[in-house]
Amino acid sequence: MTLASISAEFADLAWGPHMLVLLVGGGLFFILYSRFIPFRYLGHAVAIVRGKHPDKGAVGHISHAGALSSAMAGTVGMGNIGSVAVAIVVGGPGAIFWMWISAIVGMATKFFTCTLAIMYRGKDENGQVQGGPMYIITQGLGKKWHFLAVFFCVVGLVGNFPLFNTNQLVQILKEWLIIKPGFYGEDQPTFWLDLSMGIVVMFLVASVILGGIKRIARVASSVVPTMILLYMSCAFYVIATHIEEIPGYFSLIVEQAFSLNSVGGGILGTMLIGIRRAAFSNEAGIGTEVMAHGSAKTSEPVKEGLVAMLGPAIDTLLVCTATAMIILISGVWQTTDVSGVSLSARAFESTMPGVGPYLLIICVFFFSISTIFTQAFYGGQCFSFLFGAKRVKYYQYFFLLAILFAATATLDEIVNIIDGAYALMAIPTMVSALLLAPKVKAAADDYFARLNKR
């Protein structure tokens, strides 16, 4: 058996119908249990990000905006570009509809999980305040649930390796900057070329991640909003120049979502593919983003829950939809056998001839690098919980070496390894959030009551 076949079986087993119940069913429970209250305060959430409701004397490491930017750096990446392409190739256009559904329920999930991230923060051996599912479990559920926290961290070490983003970054740089211009033959072996590019990425990442979450947040706050603006500008141009086709593609997405003959294997198959790709894109319920929001400088847990809710709306409903429209408009998804970022690049080439692929390369570079930065922090948090903060440098070295593996591995191997790990991470994250939901609801009722009295 090959690594690709083993990883495929692992991912398929992890992403069975039970994940549909856990992630979508859990998200629907959070929506109904909260009586839609968080959704009614989206404007307030934006005001918090803009700094209009500061917390004086609050503990934490980064601002609300910094926490959102760090979390967005971990989600707005190749999941929005390469993963959307994978969803369309594997599940057809209908998979996008289920990505939307996952994002909507994911907003409620993030409200609950990231409110808990502030309510149940812990301290590492250096006395630094930290947050994440492992602290929610140990602080909120007690010692008898400690095994669940350990389980999350063990699979989190794998799930946060920089595999997908590194692989896709190397792929697009190699294809469009080296092979297509004729600097390297298309039929020549590319292992050493991939490895060389991986080494460059490794040293670039090392220059940032060794500086900790504050440096990561500072870089993310500068890079992520600008890259989202550039990427969305490209998407708006493509959509505006094909505006008459857009209603038809939205109809196609909805129609294929409920088609018994979809390429994803019927309604359930397409639904699972969409949920799987959305989880990789916005990470709602997975638990990684909880660690970024757990570092926010605030004394009001509900505030951070509201800020976190904005993530899936920006990530999936906005950026992923933009990618899907570009791919569908181009038509290349029906005429080529490539997948991932290579398909997205060809879609950009078709819809924005000449300049499109190179604008995409700029976005991919910064999206990928910023995501890798954030993944290093997430994995480091898991390692610190298991082995102590003073030893985290050993994980960082191993993390950097994983970049070299990702640069030379195949897309199928990478996707399946990460997908399987993400599914396993969701189990402790969602179980703890569901068990502690009454605590969040009580905090939310109190916060909104005080807010409405002002």
Side-chain angles (χ1 to χ4, degrees):
M1 296 182 71
T2 63
L3 176 60
S5 62
I6 294 172
S7 62
E9 289 187 17
F10 165 57
D12 289 341
L13 181 63
W15 278 98
H18 60 280
M19 291 306 298
L20 185 66
V21 175
L22 186 62
L23 289 174
V24 178
L28 286 172
F29 167 78
F30 291 139
I31 290 175
L32 297 175
Y33 186 62
S34 65
R35 301 190 305 275
F36 296 87
I37 287 179
F39 289 87
R40 291 159 25 201
Y41 288 89
L42 285 175
H44 180 60
V46 173
I48 294 172
V49 173
R50 294 175 61 190
K52 289 191 173 183
H53 302 278
D55 295 287
K56 296 181 180 179
V59 297
H61 304 293
I62 53 180
S63 66
H64 290 294
L68 181 61
S69 294
S70 296
M72 293 302 296
T75 57
V76 178
M78 293 314 303
N80 303 86
I81 302 173
S83 192
V84 172
V86 171
I88 292 175
V89 169
V90 178
I96 303 302
F97 176 85
W98 297 112
M99 289 184 74
W100 294 338
I101 297 300
S102 180
I104 293 170
V105 299
M107 291 175 69
T109 298
K110 280 205 175 183
F111 173 76
F112 274 76
T113 57
C114 293
T115 297
L116 289 169
I118 303 298
M119 291 178 69
Y120 296 107
R121 289 197 277 200
K123 290 185 178 181
D124 60 26
E125 62 181 345
N126 294 327
Q128 295 293 315
V129 174
Q130 306 290 356
M134 54 282 209
Y135 295 105
I136 293 172
I137 293 167
T138 54
Q139 302 290 325
L141 296 179
K143 292 184 178 179
K144 66 178 181 179
W145 293 90
H146 186 77
F147 74 94
L148 205 59
V150 172
F151 178 76
F152 172 83
C153 290
V154 169
V155 293
L157 291 176
V158 178
N160 287 299
F161 274 151
L163 303 184
F164 186 78
N165 286 277
T166 298
N167 179 275
Q168 293 291 273
L169 174 60
V170 168
Q171 180 63 36
I172 194 171
L173 292 177
K174 176 180 67 178
E175 180 178 350
W176 289 90
L177 298 184
I178 298 178
I179 294 179
K180 280 191 176 293
F183 298 123
Y184 201 88
E186 290 188 22
D187 298 327
Q188 290 181 259
T190 62
F191 175 82
W192 292 109
L193 176 60
D194 293 338
L195 183 61
S196 299
M197 298 178 73
I199 291 172
V200 174
V201 172
M202 181 181 70
F203 279 104
L204 178 61
V205 171
S207 68
V208 174
I209 70 170
L210 299 179
I213 184 60
K214 291 184 179 180
R215 184 180 297 177
I216 292 170
R218 186 164 60 249
V219 174
S221 298
S222 303
V223 170
V224 173
T226 303
M227 286 303 102
I228 291 177
L229 180 61
L230 174 59
Y231 189 76
M232 292 307 299
S233 297
C234 294
F236 286 142
Y237 168 79
V238 173
I239 291 171
T241 54
H242 298 79
I243 193 66
E244 71 283 352
E245 303 173 31
I246 300 303
Y249 288 120
F250 275 102
S251 297
L252 177 66
I253 288 172
V254 176
E255 177 185 328
Q256 288 292 309
F258 298 96
S259 173
L260 297 176
N261 299 315
S262 69
V263 296
I267 297 175
L268 180 60
T270 301
M271 187 184 302
L272 284 171
I273 291 167
I275 301 302
R276 185 165 163 175
R277 298 272 55 84
F280 184 75
S281 173
N282 62 52
E283 300 178 13
I286 305 303
T288 49
E289 77 294 339
V290 180
M291 289 182 271
H293 288 286
S295 296
K297 188 178 294 185
T298 181
S299 56
E300 290 279 7
V302 174
K303 277 188 178 180
E304 198 58 32
L306 289 169
V307 170
M309 265 182 53
L310 300 174
I314 298 170
D315 178 276
T316 304
L317 298 181
L318 191 62
V319 183
C320 286
T321 300
T323 302
M325 286 297 113
I326 293 172
I327 292 173
L328 294 177
I329 288 168
S330 71
V332 297
W333 60 285
Q334 296 175 303
T335 59
T336 183
D337 58 354
V338 298
S339 186
V341 72
S342 294
L343 178 64
S344 298
R346 295 190 185 186
F348 269 72
E349 182 184 33
S350 173
T351 54
M352 301 178 68
V355 69
Y358 300 100
L359 290 174
L360 179 63
I361 287 172
I362 295 173
C363 294
V364 164
F365 177 80
F366 286 104
F367 281 158
S368 298
I369 292 296
S370 61
T371 300
I372 293 171
F373 295 159
T374 307
Q375 288 174 322
F377 169 71
Y378 293 157
Q381 291 292 88
C382 293
F383 187 90
S384 296
F385 184 84
L386 294 172
F387 305 107
K390 294 179 180 178
R391 299 183 180 90
V392 73
K393 62 182 180 181
Y394 298 114
Y395 171 78
Q396 291 173 334
Y397 298 148
F398 197 71
F399 180 93
L400 293 171
L401 290 175
I403 291 176
L404 302 184
F405 165 73
T408 56
T410 67
L411 175 59
D412 288 341
E413 293 169 345
I414 295 299
V415 168
N416 289 325
I417 291 172
I418 299 301
D419 276 356
Y422 266 40
L424 296 180
M425 290 165 68
I427 295 172
T429 301
M430 290 298 292
V431 167
S432 59
L434 288 167
L435 291 174
L436 292 169
K439 300 288 187 180
V440 177
K441 187 174 184 299
D445 289 343
D446 174 67
Y447 176 79
F448 293 124
R450 287 186 283 115
L451 180 68
N452 292 330
K453 287 181 180 179
R454 294 178 186 174

